[in-house]
Amino acid sequence: MELTDTELTLRLKQHDEAAFETLFRRYYHYLYSISIQYVKDPALAEDALQEVYLKLWTHREQLDESQSVRNYLATAMRHQMINMLRDEKRAILRHLSHQSTQPDVDTSTEEALVLSEYGSVVLDGLRQLSAQRRLVFILRSEKGLTNEEVASQLEISINTAKVQYYHACRFLRDYLRQHAGIEAMIVWLAVFCN
């Protein structure tokens, strides 16, 4: 007879590794589907999964068996993705840019189609910015430069760098809202609006 989540949570709180393994297998695909929606990169999605399950194990004694472990894991995954997106934004942008320029080798999977479409939407939005705004945005977001460094490199005032970045962000946020799904907006808010 299969154990309920409540029974598994109680056993997990008592350091039962078999209960942990059962929860791992039970929710692995569900959590992977959440993570891949955010990052579109299987390696980053796997990293996020490992972190969430590690946190589940290390914080097992604080679990509340009256609460849904599925909801706990989903919430932990969303928080992990937001943290990862903040930390890995340059890698994700490079991945999206690279994927959108590659010919579709296997378009039979939904993941490949979503990735290609999402990367294309981001790049289309960037192309619609003026040259200076696009450059300021790329230097700040992808290269990680400060306003002062951008201003120095482009020989513009710091205020101009700030204003250009602000307008680029506002335009791209609106562009993604109109042309992409909710996942794109979540990524946008987590990565650029912190």
Side-chain angles (χ1 to χ4, degrees):
M1 185 171 149
E2 191 171 293
L3 295 174
T4 66
D5 282 359
T6 302
E7 293 167 325
L8 289 169
T9 302
L10 284 169
R11 289 182 179 204
L12 181 61
K13 288 175 73 168
Q14 298 169 358
H15 308 271
D16 184 334
E17 291 180 19
F20 175 80
E21 190 174 318
T22 300
L23 286 171
F24 181 89
R25 277 190 258 109
R26 185 173 290 178
Y27 293 113
Y28 179 86
H29 292 291
Y30 170 66
L31 295 175
Y32 181 82
S33 71
I34 292 172
S35 63
I36 200 70
Q37 287 177 2
Y38 285 85
V39 293
K40 312 296 186 208
D41 181 341
L44 290 175
E46 288 287 337
D47 288 348
L49 274 166
Q50 297 303 318
E51 286 296 320
V52 166
Y53 279 114
L54 177 63
K55 288 177 184 173
L56 176 66
W57 180 255
T58 58
H59 300 293
R60 63 190 175 278
E61 293 173 357
Q62 288 87 36
L63 291 173
D64 181 354
E65 64 275 1
S66 68
Q67 301 295 315
S68 165
V69 72
R70 182 179 193 265
N71 289 345
Y72 171 86
L73 289 168
T75 300
M77 177 56 76
R78 287 183 183 96
H79 287 223
Q80 178 64 31
M81 295 315 307
I82 288 170
N83 291 336
M84 179 180 279
L85 289 168
R86 283 186 185 130
D87 296 341
E88 302 288 336
K89 66 183 175 184
R90 284 185 285 284
I92 292 166
L93 286 171
R94 279 193 303 273
H95 177 77
L96 288 172
S97 177
H98 175 73
Q99 288 299 319
S100 67
T101 60
Q102 297 300 309
D104 289 335
V105 176
D106 178 12
T107 57
S108 63
T109 66
E110 182 179 340
E111 182 182 316
L113 291 172
V114 169
L115 175 61
S116 175
E117 179 182 331
Y118 178 51
S120 296
V121 169
V122 171
L123 291 176
D124 287 344
L126 284 171
R127 284 186 198 111
Q128 295 201 26
L129 293 171
S130 69
Q132 186 176 34
R133 274 193 192 155
R134 182 173 47 250
L135 187 54
V136 168
F137 179 83
I138 289 170
L139 290 173
R140 285 278 321 271
S141 300
E142 193 172 330
K143 305 290 184 196
L145 299 182
T146 65
N147 285 322
E148 292 79 11
E149 292 168 329
V150 170
S152 174
Q153 186 169 336
L154 298 180
E155 298 178 354
I156 58 177
S157 74
I158 293 172
N159 191 48
T160 300
K162 288 178 184 177
V163 169
Q164 292 292 348
Y165 184 70
Y166 169 80
H167 286 296
C169 286
R170 197 169 83 182
F171 172 80
L172 289 169
R173 183 174 33 238
D174 292 342
Y175 189 85
L176 288 173
R177 186 180 296 125
Q178 293 172 3
H179 297 91
I182 187 67
E183 295 87 10
M185 285 308 302
I186 292 169
V187 168
W188 182 258
L189 292 172
V191 174
F192 299 108
C193 300
N194 48 16

